[in-house]
Amino acid sequence: MRAIVVGAGIGGLAATLSLFRAGHEVTLVEQTARFTEVGAGIQLAPNATRELRRLGLLDAVAAQSTRPSHVTFRTWSDGSEICRYTLGREAEDEFGAPYLLVHRADLHEALTAAVPHRSVRLNTEVVGIDQEDGAAYVTTATGERLGADLVVAADGIRSAARTWLFGPDEAVFSRTAAYRALLPAGEVADLDLPELAVWLGPGRHFVHYWVRRGELLNVVAVVQAEAARESWTARAEPGEQRRAFDGWDSRVLSVLERAGRVLRFGLYTRAPLARWNIGRATLLGDSAHAMVPFQAQGAAQAILDAAVLGDALVGAAPADVPDALDRYVRRRLAAATGMQAGSARAGEDFHLPDGPEAQARDARMAAHAAENRFLPQATAWGRDAVPPP
């Protein structure tokens, strides 16, 4: 069976490898002239790293990652600890796979290295998807029409394929924006920072953790905003991020003051869909369920999509594709949509104003942590997206 995957981000690469593993011929189509991945740190919970192991990539990714022993939640003004949860060896023993902190480019490179060069078409912009009985097609900007038994659209949050399949549907601004930066470890060595921490404050929160074997501190500073464009390359104005967190704990301010190149971009989502597939074409990853990153599950959910897609198509013949895609969507849609909603709720909770609501939240979080070793979203970490053989 022949498949075309549109988009060479994390979801598209994982889908390509999962379809290869299922025994199918795959062409990966990417509009850029070479493989690149922008961005900074991402968190990979055990539900994602378990699937990376299935693809044979966990060791390569883990070698470039950091393994935190725990995560702490802290108060914005003085850094006092609200609660902490266990990660590290205990989480790996419990869920059968590690919790990793990784630079996005390192994950992308590991996925890219596993895809055969002969299966990749770079510098190929897709301008349309259509299908007929027995085949699906993508049309390129040069007028070429590529045919296959299956088309997987992993073309990101601004997915054109989503519009071609389901009609006009714009990305939705979450009314939050993020400042991102990477700082060499030596520049913050004197600050005694927790290894993975989330600082909560009125209308904003601050996250930091180590990536690339502890060589870099990844910083994400999120603020409520009336408008912000969605861009991985837009620079913040000098000192803008420091002013946005005026009055916060001195360690937070020191990190923001020492950050060199700071990017600022709006956080956008997509409205949930009732289905992701039509006939021989389907969405995957952010094109299907883009979410705010407040439960650190965006990349993980794309990897899980890819795993289930491949599993649904094991042994499939061309005639089986529409039914197999139905199975893929039935197994993934509710879980991904639930994670979308949970991530949005987490953002609302993180940004409560000082006073009774924030105090109640802190008490609730502390009580949960006293009774549970692992984060609330860890209930999803132990479920196998693909049943063991």
Side-chain angles (χ1 to χ4, degrees), residues 301-313:
Q301 292 300 306
I303 292 169
L304 296 180
D305 288 351
V308 173
L309 176 68
D311 186 62
L313 287 157

Side-chain angles (χ1 to χ4, degrees), residues 7 52 69 73 88 94 102-103 171 188 201 203 226 229 235 258 356:
L52 291 178
S69 63
F73 289 82
E94 178 74 17
V102 60
H103 194 298
V188 291
E226 292 302 313
R229 66 189 180 102
R235 297 285 294 269
R258 298 176 192 184

Side-chain angles (χ1 to χ4, degrees), residues 277-288:
N277 63 307
I278 293 179
R280 295 178 173 275
T282 190
L283 304 177
L284 181 144
D286 280 354
S287 67

Side-chain angles (χ1 to χ4, degrees), residues 114-126:
V115 175
H117 292 300
R118 68 179 184 278
S119 301
V120 179
R121 289 191 49 152
L122 297 174
N123 202 26
T124 303
E125 181 184 359
V126 174

Side-chain angles (χ1 to χ4, degrees), residues 21 51 54 304 307-309 311 331 383-389:
R21 192 173 185 275
E51 301 310 324
R54 194 187 305 272
L304 296 180
V308 173
L309 176 68
D311 186 62
R331 288 167 59 182
R383 294 195 294 269
D384 283 305
V386 176

Side-chain angles (χ1 to χ4, degrees), residues 203-237:
R204 59 209 65 215
H205 72 278
F206 182 82
V207 183
H208 61 77
Y209 52 86
W210 301 100
V211 297
R212 198 160 282 170
R213 304 172 304 278
E215 296 171 7
L216 296 172
L217 183 71
N218 181 70
V219 174
V220 185
V222 178
V223 299
Q224 292 178 343
E226 292 302 313
R229 66 189 180 102
E230 193 264 325
S231 169
W232 283 98
T233 58
R235 297 285 294 269
E237 295 294 328

